[in-house]
Amino acid sequence: MRNSLKQKNLQNGKQLAYILAFAFLALSMIVGISVGSVSVPVSELFQIIGKEVFQLPLSTEANVMFTNIVMKIRLPRVVLAGLVGASLAISGAAFQGLLRNPLADPYTLGVSSGASVGAVVTIFFGLSLPVIGLFTLPLLSVLFSFLTIFSVLLFAQKMDRSIKVETIILTGIIFSSFLGAFISLMIALTGEELRQIIGWLLGSVSMRGWSYVGIILPFFIVGTVILMLNARELNALSFGEERAQHLGVNVKQRKLMILIAGSLLTGAAVAVSGTIGFVGLVIPHFTRRLVSPDHKHLLPLSMIIGAGFLILADLVSRVIISPAELPIGVITALIGAPVFAIILLKRRRIEERR
Amino acid sequence: MLTVTELIGGYTKNMPVLKNLSFEVARGELFGILGPNGSGKTTLLQMMSGILTYHSGEILLKGKRLQDYRTKELARVSAVLPQHSTQAFSYTVKETVSLGRYAHQKGLLQSWSMEDEEVVQRVMKQTGTTPFQHLPFDQLSGGERQRVLLAQSLAQEPEILFLDEPTNHLDLSYQKELLDLMKSWTKERDLTVVSIFHDLNLASLYCDRLLLLDKGRIQINDKPNEVLKRERVQAVYQTDIENYPHPNVPKSQLFIVPAHLAKEQETLVINEQYIEKKDDWLALKSPIPLKTISLGMTEIGNGWYQTFVNCHNKRTFDCSDPQKEMIEYLSAHGFNRSETIGMITNVDLKTAAVRFYQEDNISIFIVVTAGKRNFHDPHHVVQSEKVIGSNIHTWVFVNGCLTEEAFIQCLVTATEAKVKALYGYGEETMTEDSILIAASQRGTDIRHGESMESLRKLVSSGVYECILLAIQNE
């Protein structure tokens, strides 16, 4: 009887976590859209969203300037920030589970370095491919990140045929350092584009518009669906690969699926926004500690919280020294690190009291 | 259930770990795999559980080749209890156990069915993990973790269970509990268990059959008592071993001989110099514990003792509980209880016959006290003034290394000698007489034919002579 009660509490706890996470996301979206150099009143905001996004037959005429600000600037920015945050957080959670290493993040495999090389090459050589023009950078970046992932996996497989996670981590580090050297080289050689390169490397979601949302969206959908379908396998894998196989997981196949899905998400996120640190490392940690290490809940919750977190971080980055903007990567770490430290300390105290 | 044929595998093709193994395990069997470190036990287990591939040969599980199983399908038939498990994140016990149902869940959504829940509840109950099902796994002790992992494996509802040294990290009672559980499952549910053991004695107690591996080959595959023969184990493990039957069950047990004890082999000769006589007691105080078989008063049976006491009954004993009085007497006189054998006599200790005999390199030392008149018998619980009989205590100390067989031979020989000695007096021997044979277990090895025979002669003539002498002294 008491057990079933407790079970119910746990169930309720998980439901509560979902409700809170969605509320957090909704709130940060609303604040993210309405606050800025020109602030949009919340009532207007709902009208505009209702009318423009959901095509509701609302009678009142909305302010044209507000409509333009929301639909052309703020909304795509918030959506992009949300998608990037969600991608980084869920792939971080998956990588930590797969690599059984709480220090892993989406960048462990060198995906970000690959994407960065693509982007920096584009800026450095001033490349602009025909037809796609402005999208040369994100596309080259995605391309390079995939090249990196497949090289890493190929190399790891050459090193040991079963691709142990230790091998993957090691290979990832080797590739990161190697590609990092290329980036440093180009930075050292560049003159004019230095600021642009650094700015990109530190990450930003500003002035990208809907087209960038369009770039990341398909990767986001494919990647998250694959990861969510592997939630239970991730649970089993966190007991070690041998154990997972004994439990009936087709380890090799699942591992490749998770690695590729995670890299898709990361590569696409880096391509549209630069290397934004911290989200992929800390959000999964935070979620695991506060809710559950069960990947069935960890993955979706990390995604929602990650999205909300990056939207807020972006908001801070553009209002704090307005009208100038700070790189979003700086903000994520500046806010995220102390908050996380406080959570860790509080948690420790609660555990001690038990 | 499981058939392994001409299995070769492990590391490189030229230097395989396993060299041509063939054996079968029947359904419902508890099958043990033994072997020194590096003999290929774990490699074999990993191949049978589908983790490692092999170079040639075949492994059939329920008549189907192991490679032909899909991973999930295999997990529904076989489960593995790992030696240890590291967990990167702290799942609760129930979440951990629930993972065992992975192979049974179908469909993309893999929903949790009533059956899954029932199985999980049942195995948690069986392994005694229900009380802490909501605790995080990493807060548990080693033994509890092992039980949770067992529950996880059982949740797979396997037909065959592979165990890799299942009793590691477990204290004595859990070792027994785990193996008792395994044993009952093999009997009641026809579960087949294949387990690696480090502890040969545990394996001997629980397994139906044992496979002894030596350098990647099968040394023997037979019943435990056959496998755990002293010479065989010594050869395979290359160490000194003694074996001895279990006190209560018909299984052989092995004992290692610590080097520091085995090497203390300065010869020791027990003789008069170790005798200490006081008014009311006579004691032999050996510098080392002697292996003793006795029918004494305080300690009866087998053991290692250092001090042997015979005390004179001066009616300080009321004989209502001789055992307890003896113990009190010993501690009152400063003898260490656990190292001492004590007995009571009515005879004046001055009459004791104390003799040393030697022939070739075998020597024995005999101490006898004997009375043959009517006497107040302290060993007899029912008081009777008219008991006629003897009250003879015989101690035989052998300076040599005796086998079990030699001990029994000495006991029988000494008894026969006593009967012979008393025959001339027309006395009946009484069961209250006591006798002990003690050996230093150093020096001459008395195991076989000739040395055994000369020992027998020494004991026979020695005991006969001493008893007569003791009776005359009186």
Side-chain angles (χ1 to χ4, degrees):
Chain A
M1 191 61 209
R2 273 183 68 193
N3 271 344
S4 70
L5 264 180
K6 200 162 180 193
Q7 200 120 26
K8 225 170 200 173
N9 282 340
L10 284 178
Q11 285 279 321
N12 290 343
K14 297 233 168 77
Q15 277 169 14
L16 187 69
Y18 278 103
I19 292 168
L20 286 179
F22 273 115
F24 170 66
L25 176 61
L27 198 72
S28 43
M29 283 182 82
I30 294 168
V31 177
I33 298 170
S34 88
V35 177
S37 49
V38 177
S39 78
V40 181
V42 177
S43 55
E44 289 271 347
L45 172 67
F46 280 120
Q47 270 185 19
I48 295 167
I49 302 265
K51 195 162 175 209
E52 300 288 327
V53 180
F54 299 106
Q55 304 289 329
L56 296 178
L58 293 178
S59 52
T60 44
E61 264 313 301
N63 184 320
V64 181
M65 184 187 72
F66 283 162
T67 308
N68 274 337
I69 289 178
V70 170
M71 290 312 297
K72 296 236 169 85
I73 301 171
R74 298 259 174 89
L75 189 59
R77 180 172 188 154
V78 162
V79 170
L80 186 65
L83 286 176
V84 168
S87 303
L88 292 176
I90 192 175
S91 58
F95 279 141
Q96 286 174 7
L98 177 69
L99 305 181
R100 289 198 303 286
N101 189 336
L103 291 179
D105 71 5
Y107 304 147
T108 308
L109 295 192
V111 187
S112 63
S113 306
S116 303
V117 168
V120 173
V121 162
T122 316
I123 302 172
F124 186 72
F125 294 109
L127 293 181
S128 176
L129 299 176
V131 186
I132 50 172
L134 270 179
F135 298 114
T136 309
L137 188 143
L139 285 179
L140 269 187
S141 180
V142 169
L143 200 70
F144 267 77
S145 70
F146 289 159
L147 276 179
T148 314
I149 265 302
F150 285 111
S151 327
V152 167
L153 290 180
L154 215 72
F155 192 79
Q157 194 162 19
K158 277 259 180 325
M159 272 168 77
D160 104 67
R161 270 184 50 214
S162 58
I163 324 189
K164 291 215 179 65
V165 293
E166 293 80 6
T167 320
I168 297 175
I169 294 179
L170 204 60
T171 320
I173 289 172
I174 295 170
F175 271 78
S176 289
S177 319
F178 184 68
L179 296 173
F182 268 106
I183 298 169
S184 304
L185 182 70
M186 280 182 276
I187 291 174
L189 292 178
T190 193
E192 291 288 291
E193 293 84 10
L194 182 65
R195 209 186 146 77
Q196 210 189 336
I197 290 177
I198 299 286
W200 189 87
L201 285 177
L202 288 173
S204 164
V205 285
S206 74
M207 305 312 288
R208 287 327 207 220
W210 288 110
S211 48
Y212 272 65
V213 173
I215 292 177
I216 191 176
L217 199 60
F219 294 110
F220 174 77
I221 292 170
V222 173
T224 44
V225 167
I226 296 178
L227 287 187
M228 297 285 243
L229 287 180
N230 282 293
R232 286 173 49 80
E233 284 76 7
L234 275 168
N235 284 344
L237 278 164
S238 59
F239 281 83
E241 289 172 45
E242 201 175 305
R243 187 72 193 139
Q245 177 149 7
H246 285 149
L247 290 171
V249 177
N250 189 339
V251 172
K252 211 170 163 186
Q253 182 193 332
R254 297 295 183 159
K255 197 160 54 177
L256 273 180
M257 279 169 84
I258 294 163
L259 282 174
I260 289 174
S263 305
L264 275 180
L265 287 165
T266 316
V270 175
V272 297
S273 64
T275 46
I276 298 171
F278 209 77
V279 182
L281 175 67
V282 168
I283 298 296
H285 248 291
F286 169 85
T287 316
R288 193 177 290 121
R289 283 199 156 251
L290 291 192
V291 189
S292 159
D294 184 349
H295 287 83
K296 264 185 293 184
H297 304 292
L298 176 65
L299 294 178
L301 282 171
S302 295
M303 198 168 79
I304 301 165
I305 296 171
F309 176 76
L310 206 66
I311 292 169
L312 282 187
D314 176 50
L315 171 69
V316 175
S317 80
R318 64 189 151 89
V319 298
I320 196 160
I321 53 164
S322 164
E325 280 190 21
L326 278 175
I328 191 170
V330 174
I331 301 298
T332 51
L334 275 183
I335 310 173
V339 168
F340 188 59
I342 290 167
I343 290 170
L344 281 182
L345 281 177
K346 279 210 164 145
R347 185 81 190 173
R348 170 64 48 84
R349 248 173 253 146
I350 291 169
E351 269 167 17
E352 270 168 11
R353 230 173 286 152
R354 269 189 212 157
Chain B
M1 184 74 200
L2 180 75
T3 314
V4 176
T5 344
E6 295 174 4
L7 184 73
I8 299 178
Y11 298 129
T12 59
K13 265 191 180 155
N14 299 330
M15 283 277 289
V17 178
L18 301 178
K19 298 153 190 155
N20 205 356
L21 305 188
S22 300
F23 61 92
E24 262 179 63
V25 182
R27 184 178 284 275
E29 213 174 1
L30 208 169
F31 188 81
I33 300 174
L34 307 175
N37 289 334
S39 59
K41 302 186 296 282
T42 304
T43 310
L44 175 61
L45 197 81
Q46 284 182 328
M47 283 179 190
M48 292 190 295
S49 65
I51 292 289
L52 283 184
T53 53
Y54 38 90
H55 305 320
S56 68
E58 218 166 42
I59 299 177
L60 296 180
L61 190 59
K62 289 176 81 184
K64 185 170 163 182
R65 293 199 321 155
L66 211 56
Q67 305 95 294
D68 297 340
Y69 279 92
R70 285 183 301 111
T71 323
K72 257 193 180 182
E73 200 184 347
L74 185 63
R76 285 195 292 266
V77 179
S78 82
V80 179
L81 177 65
Q83 205 178 112
H84 44 72
S85 169
T86 47
Q87 203 187 34
F89 312 109
S90 74
Y91 293 98
T92 65
V93 167
K94 197 184 164 196
E95 282 169 336
T96 306
V97 175
S98 302
L99 265 177
R101 296 301 297 165
Y102 174 81
H104 289 270
Q105 291 176 293
K106 295 186 183 82
L108 274 181
L109 293 174
Q110 302 172 328
S111 57
W112 190 247
S113 69
M114 285 290 284
E115 192 200 341
D116 292 330
E117 181 67 27
E118 270 167 31
V119 173
V120 166
Q121 291 300 341
R122 193 184 71 221
V123 295
M124 284 199 299
K125 207 168 163 193
Q126 277 159 349
T127 51
T129 48
T130 315
F132 36 85
Q133 58 173 313
H134 297 294
L135 285 183
F137 182 78
D138 54 6
Q139 276 184 19
L140 305 180
S141 71
E144 289 165 341
R145 286 181 195 200
Q146 190 76 352
R147 282 192 282 157
V148 171
L149 290 174
L150 177 67
Q152 193 188 46
S153 306
L154 292 179
Q156 287 175 245
E157 296 188 292
E159 293 174 49
I160 184 164
L161 182 62
F162 294 102
L163 312 173
D164 190 354
E165 287 171 44
T167 53
N168 259 8
H169 314 294
L170 293 187
D171 61 32
L172 213 55
S173 65
Y174 283 132
Q175 290 188 6
K176 179 173 151 15
E177 227 167 76
L178 176 85
L179 290 169
D180 283 342
L181 184 72
M182 291 293 101
K183 192 76 193 175
S184 69
W185 276 48
T186 58
K187 284 197 173 140
E188 288 155 24
R189 292 162 200 253
D190 251 359
L191 178 75
T192 311
V193 178
V194 176
S195 175
I196 290 181
F197 280 95
H198 256 181
D199 189 330
L200 305 185
N201 290 330
L202 272 181
S204 157
L205 290 175
Y206 284 94
C207 292
D208 298 312
R209 234 153 22 101
L210 294 177
L211 179 82
L212 181 61
L213 283 181
D214 188 17
K215 301 186 188 100
R217 291 178 206 285
I218 295 180
Q219 225 284 329
I220 185 174
N221 169 12
D222 210 325
K223 294 216 154 55
N225 283 352
E226 191 57 39
V227 173
L228 299 181
K229 287 255 156 70
R230 179 169 174 268
E231 290 73 19
R232 191 189 322 278
V233 175
Q234 266 184 352
V236 171
Y237 284 83
Q238 311 213 319
T239 185
D240 263 349
I241 300 274
E242 289 292 339
N243 67 352
Y244 201 76
H246 189 281
N248 288 332
V249 296
K251 297 278 183 181
S252 179
Q253 297 284 283
L254 296 162
F255 298 92
I256 53 171
V257 183
H260 73 281
L261 295 178
K263 274 179 191 155
E264 282 175 26
Q265 287 293 8
E266 314 155 29
T267 41
L268 170 86
V269 177
I270 299 286
N271 54 24
E272 285 91 343
Q273 63 169 310
Y274 298 110
I275 290 282
E276 204 176 319
K277 271 187 189 172
K278 286 278 154 60
D279 255 6
D280 59 341
W281 55 262
L282 177 152
L284 185 134
K285 292 181 173 171
S286 162
I288 57 160
L290 305 178
K291 189 174 179 189
T292 309
I293 170 169
S294 77
L295 282 163
M297 271 191 85
T298 49
E299 302 294 336
I300 294 172
N302 276 318
W304 290 81
Y305 298 99
Q306 204 161 352
T307 313
F308 307 85
V309 181
N310 191 349
C311 48
H312 182 51
N313 181 18
K314 287 182 169 172
R315 301 207 176 252
T316 48
F317 295 98
D318 67 11
C319 295
S320 57
D321 184 354
Q323 184 91 28
K324 191 171 153 232
E325 282 170 48
M326 190 73 230
I327 291 166
E328 278 164 8
Y329 181 87
L330 288 178
S331 31
H333 287 75
F335 293 107
N336 185 334
R337 259 280 288 126
S338 60
E339 298 176 345
T340 306
I341 289 190
M343 45 189 77
I344 305 171
T345 180
N346 278 70
V347 191
D348 187 344
L349 291 169
K350 287 192 191 87
T351 67
V354 176
R355 283 273 175 101
F356 182 81
Y357 299 90
Q358 176 148 26
E359 195 184 308
D360 300 332
N361 51 2
I362 301 174
S363 62
I364 62 172
F365 179 59
I366 299 177
V367 179
V368 171
T369 58
K372 64 171 187 69
R373 294 175 309 212
N374 296 356
F375 54 81
H376 170 77
D377 176 19
H379 292 186
H380 217 280
V381 181
V382 184
Q383 294 293 309
S384 158
E385 288 298 320
K386 294 232 162 182
V387 174
I388 297 176
S390 62
N391 177 217
I392 301 176
H393 296 324
T394 314
W395 296 353
V396 180
F397 299 92
V398 181
N399 296 311
C401 192
L402 297 192
T403 56
E404 213 53 32
E405 185 193 354
F407 266 103
I408 295 172
Q409 185 63 257
C410 284
L411 198 62
V412 171
T413 309
T415 314
E416 284 168 358
K418 184 176 78 177
V419 173
K420 204 168 114 198
L422 294 180
Y423 185 72
Y425 291 87
E427 302 280 3
E428 287 172 50
T429 55
M430 293 182 53
T431 49
E432 283 79 12
D433 284 6
S434 68
I435 184 159
L436 73 82
I437 312 289
S440 61
Q441 298 302 83
R442 291 184 181 186
T444 320
D445 221 348
I446 305 170
R447 282 185 191 274
H448 307 291
E450 219 168 294
S451 55
M452 188 63 235
E453 188 51 33
S454 45
L455 174 66
R456 209 184 62 78
K457 279 184 186 154
L458 269 185
V459 171
S460 179
S461 58
V463 170
Y464 180 77
E465 213 173 292
C466 284
I467 288 178
L468 288 184
L469 189 67
I471 293 174
Q472 278 158 23
N473 283 349
E474 240 222 329

